Amino acid sequence: MTEREALLKKISTYQFAAYDLQLYLDTHPDDSDTLAQVRRYRELLKPLIREFEEKYGSLTKRQEDGNNWDWIKAPWPWESEEDC
């Protein structure tokens, strides 16, 4: 597994955990412990996303800059690092 793949896996793991806990909060809105966990995962995500975007470009297309098409230059999910 490349460094890029490992970082993407870590990001997706934290995103999934935050999303899954958020779904739980839809039915248990007063659970302060779970809300704290969601916030913790979101805070853990910020530096990982920043690191990924500094090294490999945007994870998503952003509306901030109309000329930012860097995301399209990254390998597609089915392309391995060796193919690029």
Side-chain angles (χ1 to χ4, degrees):
M1 180 179 297
T2 65
E3 179 184 352
R4 181 181 183 275
E5 292 169 333
L7 191 52
L8 271 176
K9 185 174 182 169
K10 196 171 198 178
I11 289 169
S12 67
T13 300
Y14 287 158
Q15 285 175 331
F16 176 81
Y19 182 74
D20 195 44
L21 291 171
Q22 186 64 52
L23 289 175
Y24 174 80
L25 285 171
D26 287 345
T27 57
H28 300 81
D30 297 326
D31 189 337
S32 59
D33 291 335
T34 301
L35 182 57
Q37 285 182 317
V38 169
R39 289 180 178 149
R40 188 176 123 252
Y41 281 121
R42 289 181 180 164
E43 287 302 312
L44 289 170
L45 270 167
K46 288 178 185 180
L48 294 174
I49 291 171
R50 190 177 320 114
E51 177 185 353
F52 184 90
E53 290 182 341
E54 286 172 1
K55 290 181 178 180
Y56 307 107
S58 296
L59 278 171
T60 60
K61 181 183 175 302
R62 298 222 170 111
Q63 298 297 325
E64 300 165 3
D65 179 6
N67 296 322
N68 187 357
W69 285 87
D70 291 339
W71 62 274
I72 197 73
K73 297 174 188 172
W76 293 97
W78 56 86
E79 295 177 327
S80 68
E81 290 284 317
E82 295 82 30
D83 293 337
C84 298

